[in-house]
Amino acid sequence: MSDYRRIADRIADDIATGRLRPGQRLPPQRAFARRRGIAPSTAGRVYGELVRRGLVVGEVGRGTFVRAAPDGPAGAALIEPAPVTAPVNLELNYPVAPGQPELLAPVLAPLLRPDVLAEALLPAAATGTAAAREAAATVLTTPGWRPAPERLLFTGNARQAIAAVLASLVRPGGRVGVEQLTYPLVKEIAARLGITLVPLAGDAAGLLPEAVAAAHRSAPLSALYLQPTLHNPTSRTIGRPRLLQLAQLLHDLNLPVVEDRIWSFLREPGDPLAVHAPALTHVVDGLSKRVAPGLTAGFLVVPPHRVAAVADAVRSGGWSAGRFALEAAVRWAGEGTVARLVAAKRADAARRQLILAEELAGFAVRSDPASCFAWWELPAPWRADTFTAAAAHGIAVTPGPAFAVAPGHTPDAVRLGLASAPEPDLRRALRTLAQVAARRAGDRTGP
């Protein structure tokens, strides 16, 4: 038993001293066993020990790769390494404006009066309250669109809003068209509802109408889900000409669409697809990004003839919003707090985009000057999962395959969430990732 640990110690030493570099592939276990003159079962224990220590990562069908190791001595000290710096999570992506708690707290104070609190703690209906509908309509208004308050429904968050709409539109076994890269939680929602997602091609201008038409001809689609504004993960925004083409196609096919606008507040107000296809478009939005993730509400703007069906789905799914959150939203919107937070978060996103441009200059990064995230197409020979593991200097990023819908489609890219980390930590993390990406794996044959 001690033999495999001694071999693992030697491999750990090679990693710590740089003889084995982050992203470098170890040989298959049988080849490793032959080279070392040990039994294949012992080689398996060596690799298992290295995984346990956090020094390598195994990818099914690809092999075992070296993760980045923190500075420190080899051997037992690597079993539980103490991070040199605090971890930076670039998977999370919740914008936080400077002074946000100070902006939010005064508006919440009146809710803590016993008489007001008693009312605020009652259950909320899917239709909310008249005040909540007016407040949400005000928050969602664009220069060319103000949703009718009677078409508004509420859920606990935007993800629940997506689930409620899809549950009301699509029966188990139905097909929903989505962009080839889509919000990962939509994949989870579809799996739970028994829905098949159909990946649809796009170009630099957005989703291709002909791709939607072709998929619908092959087998009818029950609905379409898309993010026209600041698409997650690419930050792409569909322009008006393409939106008009899509709206016309939706009319021709009588195809309902779920329009996710959760990030749209970061750009100068643009009209939603709902302006051009109001009888087919179900708009999803919420407060988690505009305000804060911990006390939020999801908004739904649905066609008039769909209000009852979607409200039923909200109730049956247990996705209703909390009354306290709705009461807070009414006050935040009425007092101008939401508008002030939006302005502050736009400025914050712009600063973070400058940091991104400075630290990842020369790399293939796709983003938008208003976006809180970026899509990084990695340089060869990096693969997304391998880079995610190799970059583990206490830095978490989201590998591209998390967004891919088509089986086997694994883009060699990662999404960087820019919003949650303090700016100095963001700069340090991006600089570290750039250094890791610039390395070449060199000899991939391993020890």
Side-chain angles (χ1 to χ4, degrees):
M1 292 292 289
S2 61
D3 287 345
Y4 82 85
R5 290 196 180 97
R6 285 197 294 270
I7 296 171
D9 286 344
R10 289 196 289 271
I11 301 300
D13 185 64
D14 288 341
I15 293 171
T17 58
R19 289 190 291 271
L20 287 175
R21 293 176 294 279
Q24 189 164 340
R25 185 178 183 273
L26 300 186
Q29 291 183 21
R30 288 188 177 277
F32 181 88
R34 287 196 301 271
R35 189 175 302 176
R36 296 275 177 166
I38 59 178
S41 59
T42 303
R45 291 192 184 99
V46 172
Y47 279 43
E49 177 67 11
L50 293 172
V51 169
R52 190 183 72 80
R53 298 186 189 187
L55 301 178
V56 301
V57 61
E59 299 179 42
V60 177
R62 292 184 182 177
T64 302
F65 297 85
V66 176
R67 300 180 69 170
D71 297 334
L78 287 175
I79 296 175
E80 296 179 358
V84 178
T85 55
V88 181
N89 192 332
L90 302 186
E91 290 183 299
L92 293 177
N93 209 29
Y94 289 104
V96 178
Q100 180 167 303
E102 289 76 12
L103 279 172
L104 296 175
V107 180
L108 291 179
L111 284 175
L112 301 182
R113 281 175 31 197
D115 57 330
V116 178
L117 185 61
E119 184 75 14
L121 293 180
L122 294 174
T127 52
T129 63
R133 292 192 296 274
E134 286 290 341
T138 299
V139 168
L140 300 179
T141 294
T142 68
W145 181 68
R146 188 180 193 277
E150 62 271 17
R151 294 171 53 195
L152 270 152
L153 299 171
F154 300 92
T155 60
N157 53 46
R159 288 169 290 181
Q160 294 177 353
I162 295 169
V165 174
L166 290 179
S168 72
L169 285 172
V170 189
R171 294 183 177 182
R175 288 160 41 94
V176 173
V178 295
E179 291 148 301
Q180 289 176 323
L181 299 172
T182 196
Y183 180 37
L185 283 178
V186 171
K187 297 195 290 184
E188 294 185 16
I189 292 169
R192 294 190 178 192
L193 295 177
I195 294 171
T196 298
L197 296 183
V198 181
L200 304 172
D203 60 14
L207 185 65
L208 288 166
E210 54 266 35
V212 180
H216 192 66
R217 282 195 303 270
S218 66
L221 299 173
S222 299
L224 190 66
Y225 166 85
L226 74 161
Q227 294 179 318
T229 305
L230 294 181
H231 168 258
N232 183 11
T234 65
S235 297
R236 179 183 62 198
T237 293
I238 300 178
R240 191 170 187 272
R242 180 62 58 84
L243 275 184
L244 291 174
Q245 293 174 351
L246 288 169
Q248 183 59 54
L249 179 66
L250 296 175
H251 284 300
D252 294 343
L253 300 178
N254 193 31
L255 181 63
V257 60
V258 182
E259 181 181 8
D260 187 342
R261 288 180 56 82
I262 196 69
W263 290 108
S264 63
F265 74 95
L266 287 174
R267 288 180 62 92
E268 288 302 316
D271 293 336
L273 180 59
V275 170
H276 311 296
L280 294 166
T281 306
H282 303 67
V283 176
V284 170
D285 211 318
L287 292 182
S288 63
K289 312 298 184 184
R290 280 182 173 86
V291 179
L295 186 62
T296 187
F299 301 152
L300 273 169
V301 184
V302 302
H305 65 285
R306 297 275 304 143
V307 171
V310 179
D312 285 344
V314 172
R315 286 189 289 269
S316 63
W319 295 316
S320 299
R323 180 71 175 267
F324 189 90
L326 292 185
E327 293 293 340
V330 168
R331 286 160 173 77
W332 285 329
E335 295 288 336
T337 303
V338 174
R340 287 191 289 273
L341 284 174
V342 166
K345 291 182 179 185
R346 287 180 180 175
D348 183 70
R351 290 194 304 272
R352 291 166 184 272
Q353 283 288 332
L354 291 176
I355 295 173
L356 174 75
E358 292 169 3
E359 298 301 335
L360 295 186
F363 291 102
V365 178
R366 296 166 58 188
S367 193
D368 182 288
S371 180
C372 277
F373 45 88
W375 183 246
W376 184 6
E377 297 172 351
L378 298 169
W382 289 111
R383 293 181 180 272
D385 293 343
T386 307
F387 180 80
T388 302
H393 294 264
I395 302 171
V397 299
T398 308
F403 300 90
V405 178
H409 181 66
T410 55
D412 293 325
V414 294
R415 194 205 69 171
L416 305 172
L418 309 177
S420 298
E423 289 182 32
D425 292 346
L426 175 64
R427 183 179 293 278
R428 172 175 57 81
L430 293 176
R431 185 168 299 172
T432 300
L433 293 176
Q435 292 168 353
V436 172
R439 298 171 187 160
R440 290 298 178 262
D443 179 12
R444 309 287 279 188
T445 59

